[in-house]
Amino acid sequence: MSTPGPLAEEILALFAESDGLLRTDPRRALELAQHAEARSDTLPGLRARALLKVSVCHFALGETGVCPHLLEESIRLARQAGDH
């Protein structure tokens, strides 16, 4: 397994910070997940994970209407990146 580059490390750090805030500050967790998603535009596997995290944050906020679309896009990107 190769080590992640600086951009991937930054995105993984955003994931970790978002995860830590999900129960106490879901709005901030969503902001971090969205930032990770924006930074991951050239890394489809990480972008798929970021979209999944964005969906989870929206769900935690009670904003479930966007979740199905985000989940479908996440699955599509994961498959495209070879992560089935």
Side-chain angles (χ1 to χ4, degrees):
M1 176 189 281
S2 64
T3 58
L7 179 58
E9 287 178 3
E10 177 188 339
I11 293 165
L12 293 172
L14 288 167
F15 288 169
E17 190 176 352
S18 176
D19 288 347
L21 290 171
L22 189 57
R23 290 180 187 233
T24 58
D25 191 355
R27 182 65 56 196
R28 178 69 180 138
L30 174 61
E31 291 170 2
L32 292 168
Q34 289 172 327
H35 184 64
E37 191 267 328
R39 298 284 293 142
S40 65
D41 62 340
T42 61
L43 303 166
L46 286 178
R47 185 157 187 253
R49 287 180 56 191
L51 286 171
L52 180 61
K53 289 188 180 296
V54 169
S55 177
V56 168
C57 292
H58 277 293
F59 186 82
L61 289 164
E63 301 168 351
T64 59
V66 297
C67 294
H69 167 72
L70 291 169
L71 290 173
E72 288 174 9
E73 183 66 9
S74 176
I75 291 168
R76 186 188 70 74
L77 284 171
R79 287 183 177 149
Q80 178 182 338
D83 185 5
H84 301 280

